[in-house]
Amino acid sequence: VHTSGTAQNSAVVARWTSEDGSVVDEKTNTVTTSGDARTVFRLSKQGGLSLGKYTLRILVDGKEVRSKDFAVK
């Protein structure tokens, strides 16, 4: 996740949800920056994800700033 600007202990959250809206996983990193920053999130599930559609939502300080749909086939 690319962020820019000034941030002091901002919570950057990656939330993966399944098609029915249930949370598959959620990870939080705290970012302090005065410029560009990159935060890496990884989703790892024992046995892999079930087939289906999912959404990755990125939140900064509790507000959704981006989402991306993807499918496991």
Side-chain angles (χ1 to χ4, degrees):
V1 175
H2 174 241
T3 53
S4 61
T6 301
Q8 188 70 21
N9 296 320
S10 289
V12 179
V13 176
R15 180 181 297 147
W16 293 268
T17 57
S18 62
E19 192 169 14
D20 68 4
S22 62
V23 176
V24 175
D25 198 5
E26 182 173 298
K27 306 239 191 295
T28 303
N29 283 333
T30 302
V31 175
T32 297
T33 184
S34 60
D36 289 347
R38 302 224 183 256
T39 304
V40 176
F41 294 99
R42 290 185 175 85
L43 173 62
S44 177
K45 297 299 272 180
Q46 182 103 11
L49 290 172
S50 299
L51 299 179
K53 296 178 181 178
Y54 297 87
T55 302
L56 167 61
R57 299 179 192 285
I58 302 298
L59 299 92
V60 176
D61 291 333
K63 295 178 184 151
E64 186 174 317
V65 295
R66 182 157 244 186
S67 66
K68 178 70 175 170
D69 295 330
F70 66 97
V72 176
K73 300 179 179 183

